[in-house]
Amino acid sequence: MSRKKQADYKIEGTRGIFAYLFGLSGLINILALTGAFYMLQIYDRALTSGSISTLVALSVLAIGLYLFQGLFDILRSQILVRLGARLDTKFAPLTHEVVVEMPRYGYSSAEAAERGRDVDTLRSFLAGQGPIALFDLPWIPVYLLFVWLLHPVLGILTLGGAGVLAALTILAEILTRRHAQTMIKAAVTRNAVMDSNTRNSDVLHAMGMTRRAVDRFERANQYHLEHQTKTSDIGGTLSGISKVLRMMLQSAILGLGAYLAINGELSAGAIVAASIVTTRALAPVDLAIAQWKSVVSARRSYKRIKETLAVLADKGDFIPLPKPSHSLRVDNITTVAPTTGAVLLSDVSFEIKSGQALGLIGPSGGGKTTLVKSILGIWPVLRGSVRIDGADLGQWAEDFYCDHVGYLPQDVSLMEGTIADNICRFAEEPDPRKIILAAKTAGIHELIVHLREGYQTELGPHGTSLSAGQRQRIGLARALYGEPFLVVLDEPNSNLDAEGEEALTAAITAVRQRGGIVIIIAHRPSAIQAVDMIGLVQGGKLVSFGPKDTLIQPKTRPLVVEKSERQPMTSAAE
Ligand SMILES: Nc1ncnc2c1ncn2[C@@H]1O[C@H](COP(=O)(O)OP(=O)(O)O)[C@@H](O)[C@H]1O
Ligand SMILES: [Mg+2]
C-alpha cells in the first residue's frame, strides 16, 4: 500500500517473553499451594504435637512464601503491561500508516478508525486480567496432582469439576464469537453515522436536521447495544454458573473428605487443604469465562494487526531515481471505483512534456478527478501504466512524491497545524524561503503576513478558520512548495476571485517556465489561459486531446463543454 520502506513488520519475537511468563506463572501457582501446606502442617503436626515453636516457625515460613507469591504476581503483571506498551510503540505507527491509506481504497473512516484501535485493544488486554487467567489455566494439573496425592478419590472429583468448567469455557468461546462479530459491525455502523453527523454540523443546524441525525444515531446505537448486551449476558450467565459450580465442588470436596476421614482414610488437615486447593485451582477458569469477551476481541485484533502488517511488508525497496525532467506518459489506463468496482475511466492515453500544461475539461461526473487520482496513484489503476520519465509510478519511493509532485485536491482540506506547516507539507526542516516563494507564487503571501500571527497562524481542524478561497490558495501554495516537477490542480479556481485567478495563471506559467508539467482541471476558461494542451474527459474517456489552439477557437468559450458534438476535435491520443 504505502511507498515508504520500513524494516521490521513482524509481530512475533515475543515468544521468549511468553516462555518466561509461563515459567513465572508456574512458580506463582506452586507458591499458591502455601495455604494448603500450611493447613496440613498445622492440623497434622502443630496441633498434634502441641508445639508453639513449630507453629511460629511454620507461620513465618508461610508468610515468606506468600510474600514471594505476591512479588511474582506483581512482576508478572508489570511484564505484561510493558509487553503491551512495547507492542504499542512498535505497531501503532505502522498500523496508522495503513489506516490513513484505507479511505483511498473505499473504506469508511469509521472502518479505518476501527482498525486503528486494534493496537489499543491488544495493549489493554495484555494489561488486564485476561492473560493472567490464560497463563494460570495450564497449571491446573499441579493442583490436581496435589489433591490426588491427598486422596485419589478427591483427585477424581476435582478432575470432574475441572472438566465441567472447561466445557463452560469452550461454550463461552462458541457463543461469544458469533455475537462479537456482529457487535463489531454494529459499532462500525454507529461510528460511521457519528462521523457523518459531526462533519455535517453546519448543514444539520441550518436545515433543522439535528433531531433526525440524533435519531439515526440512536437507532444505530441501539442495534450495537443489543448485541453488546447479549455478549455480556453470555459472559455473565456462564461465569455465574461456573462460580456456583466451583462453590458446590468445594463443599463436595469437604463432604467427601469428611466421609473419607470418618473411614479413617484422610486426616482433618487434608480435608481443609483439599478444599482450599480445589477452589484455587479452578479460579482461573472463572476468570477466563468472565474475560472471554476480551479474549475474543484481543485475538481478532491480533489477527488483524498481523494482516495489516503483512500488507506493509509486501513493499519492496526502492532505488532512488534521478529528479524527473522530461515527460509524463499515461498508457491505456483503466480505473475502477474502489468502493463499487464500477469502471470509471477506460483506456486513457496521452503524453505531456516538460514545460507543458494540460487543461482537463468536460462535464461534471465525466471522470476528470478520477483521471488525476489515477495519475497520482491515489486510486490504483486496473490496467495500464503512468510513467514519469519512463519509470512506472510504482517505482518511485514516497520521498519522490514529496519532492516532485504537487497536488491540490478538489475539496481542499488543510491539516491541523500552522499555515507554514501546511505549505511546507510538515517538513521536518522547513525552508522559509521556499515557503514564502510558494506563497508568493500562489498570490497569498500578502494575505498571510497581514494575519496577526502570519505564517505561524494555527488553522484549527481542517483549516476551517480560513475562507474557502483562502484555503484553496494555501492549498495551491502547498502544491507549489519546493518547485515540484508535476503539479496537479483539481478545479483550483472554484473559490477564487479575479485576483486569485490571476495568481493561478501566473503560477502555471511559472511552473512551465522552469520546465515542470501542470495538469489543471477547470470549469471556467479563465483558469486555463496559461495551458497549451487541452483534454476533454467525458463518460470516463479522454474524448479529445491536443494543442489548445487547434481544439478551441476563442469564439467557442465558455469552455464548459456540455455536448461533445459542439466542435470537431482531433482524436484522442492512443
Ligand atoms: N469514490 C467513488 N466511488 C465510486 N464512484 C465514484 C467515486 N468517486 C467518483 N465516482 C464516480 O466517478 C464518476 C466520475 O467522477 P469524477 O471523476 O469525480 O468526475 P469529474 O469529472 O466531475 O471530476 C462519477 O460518475 C462518479 O459518480
Ligand atoms: Mg472533479
Side-chain angles (χ1 to χ4, degrees):
M1 269 188 189
S2 167
R3 300 173 286 226
K4 200 165 139 201
K5 75 176 178 125
Q6 276 272 349
D8 187 7
Y9 294 108
K10 282 209 217 51
I11 197 164
E12 282 86 9
T14 43
R15 212 164 278 157
I17 298 178
F18 278 119
Y20 179 67
L21 282 169
F22 182 72
L24 195 60
S25 302
L27 218 52
I28 292 168
N29 279 281
I30 289 166
L31 285 171
L33 292 171
T34 304
F37 272 114
Y38 183 64
M39 200 58 76
L40 276 179
Q41 298 302 315
I42 294 228
Y43 271 92
D44 301 346
R45 191 160 303 173
L47 282 184
T48 46
S49 68
S51 152
I52 298 290
S53 59
T54 310
L55 183 61
V56 170
L58 282 173
S59 303
V60 170
L61 184 66
I63 289 171
L65 291 176
Y66 277 132
L67 287 179
F68 268 110
Q69 188 196 343
L71 196 70
F72 289 146
D73 234 337
I74 294 170
L75 191 63
R76 176 169 66 172
S77 69
Q78 288 195 347
I79 291 174
L80 280 164
V81 169
R82 273 155 194 72
L83 180 65
R86 213 177 81 179
L87 286 179
D88 195 315
T89 312
K90 187 168 163 192
F91 296 116
L94 296 175
T95 323
H96 188 66
E97 198 176 314
V98 174
V99 166
V100 296
E101 304 234 344
M102 282 175 70
R104 291 200 291 112
Y105 291 82
Y107 293 95
S108 70
S109 48
E111 280 169 300
E114 185 64 34
R115 192 164 282 236
R117 272 195 289 271
D118 281 341
V119 177
D120 278 345
T121 308
L122 200 58
R123 193 204 50 234
S124 48
F125 171 75
L126 284 172
Q129 290 294 304
I132 293 187
L134 294 183
F135 275 116
D136 280 346
L137 279 178
W139 294 101
I140 289 181
V142 171
Y143 300 98
L144 288 179
L145 182 70
F146 181 89
V147 180
W148 188 281
L149 291 177
L150 290 176
H151 199 288
V153 177
L154 293 179
I156 290 169
L157 183 60
T158 313
L159 185 64
V164 173
L165 289 175
L168 279 182
T169 317
I170 294 169
L171 194 64
E173 154 74 14
I174 294 168
L175 293 177
T176 314
R177 198 193 309 206
R178 204 162 40 100
H179 279 293
Q181 200 69 28
T182 327
M183 204 171 73
I184 293 287
K185 281 206 192 104
V188 169
T189 315
R190 184 192 63 166
N191 295 343
V193 174
M194 184 149 52
D195 196 43
S196 118
N197 284 354
T198 50
R199 271 192 294 170
N200 288 287
S201 165
D202 293 359
V203 170
L204 297 185
H205 176 80
M207 293 193 272
M209 292 158 64
T210 309
R211 188 66 253 154
R212 290 183 194 170
V214 172
D215 286 346
R216 240 158 68 88
F217 171 77
E218 202 194 333
R219 276 195 294 278
N221 190 43
Q222 210 56 44
Y223 184 67
H224 175 247
L225 205 58
E226 269 167 37
H227 287 276
Q228 177 94 12
T229 311
K230 276 184 196 151
T231 323
S232 300
D233 273 352
I234 293 167
T237 311
L238 290 180
S239 99
I241 294 174
S242 105
K243 217 166 269 161
V244 167
L245 282 177
R246 205 149 64 90
M247 288 191 302
M248 279 164 64
L249 188 65
Q250 193 179 5
S251 296
I253 292 281
L254 281 175
L256 188 61
Y259 173 79
L260 293 170
I262 291 167
N263 282 347
E265 291 180 44
L266 206 64
S267 69
I271 302 176
V272 184
S275 157
I276 292 177
V277 168
T278 315
T279 318
R280 175 62 181 80
L282 301 178
V285 185
D286 259 0
L287 194 57
I289 293 175
Q291 293 285 323
W292 209 256
K293 203 169 85 182
S294 66
V295 172
V296 170
S297 63
R299 197 175 46 200
R300 193 190 10 257
S301 291
Y302 176 75
K303 216 177 110 210
R304 268 203 315 212
I305 292 173
K306 271 175 82 162
E307 287 167 13
T308 308
L309 297 179
V311 171
L312 290 173
D314 280 347
K315 300 182 299 190
D317 282 348
F318 296 97
I319 296 167
L321 292 170
K323 187 171 158 31
S325 59
H326 299 300
S327 64
L328 167 77
R329 193 181 160 79
V330 174
D331 252 335
N332 253 309
I333 55 170
T334 294
T335 306
V336 297
T339 36
T340 58
V343 176
L344 300 184
L345 196 70
S346 52
D347 300 321
V348 171
S349 300
F350 66 85
E351 180 169 16
I352 33 181
K353 296 239 169 359
S354 153
Q356 289 191 311
L358 167 67
L360 289 177
I361 56 171
S364 283
K368 303 181 295 294
T369 298
T370 307
L371 175 56
V372 299
K373 280 189 175 178
S374 311
I375 290 173
L376 294 174
I378 297 171
W379 281 2
V381 295
L382 188 66
R383 271 199 306 275
S385 64
V386 177
R387 291 168 190 278
I388 293 178
D389 282 9
D392 194 90
L393 212 75
Q395 290 182 23
W396 304 105
E398 186 174 51
D399 290 348
F400 166 85
Y401 290 87
C402 202
D403 292 342
H404 304 303
V405 174
Y407 173 51
L408 174 65
Q410 189 164 4
D411 38 2
V412 201
S413 169
L414 299 173
M415 296 176 56
E416 181 102 53
T418 65
I419 290 181
D421 287 340
N422 271 279
I423 293 179
C424 75
R425 309 166 180 196
F426 291 86
E428 264 159 37
E429 288 165 22
D431 184 339
R433 275 172 315 170
K434 283 191 193 170
I435 294 177
I436 292 169
L437 178 65
K440 279 190 171 157
T441 318
I444 189 141
H445 174 73
E446 297 299 321
L447 194 144
I448 296 172
V449 292
H450 273 98
L451 296 174
R452 202 153 54 87
E453 297 189 58
Y455 279 91
Q456 296 308 322
T457 307
E458 289 283 345
L459 290 179
H462 312 300
T464 37
S465 60
L466 296 173
S467 82
Q470 289 168 339
R471 273 207 297 278
Q472 202 157 34
R473 279 207 261 172
I474 288 182
L476 178 62
R478 177 177 64 184
L480 296 171
Y481 177 80
E483 308 205 318
F485 175 67
L486 175 64
V487 177
V488 178
L489 311 171
D490 195 343
E491 301 201 15
N493 61 334
S494 56
N495 293 302
L496 295 186
D497 51 14
E499 183 201 345
E501 291 198 333
E502 245 168 62
L504 181 63
T505 303
I508 296 171
T509 311
V511 176
R512 290 184 60 185
Q513 273 165 358
R514 64 172 168 79
I517 286 177
V518 181
I519 298 180
I520 172 171
I521 298 177
H523 265 302
R524 275 183 278 155
S526 48
I528 53 165
Q529 274 168 20
V531 309
D532 58 334
M533 303 293 282
I534 290 284
L536 170 62
V537 184
Q538 204 170 19
K541 287 192 183 315
L542 186 62
V543 181
S544 310
F545 178 85
K548 185 165 90 174
D549 330 334
T550 61
L551 282 186
I552 295 173
Q553 275 79 52
K555 277 177 275 169
T556 59
R557 289 176 176 178
L559 274 172
V560 183
V561 184
E562 243 69 63
K563 297 192 177 70
S564 62
E565 70 269 19
R566 169 121 45 107
Q567 55 198 303
M569 300 267 186
T570 53
S571 68
E574 279 308 310

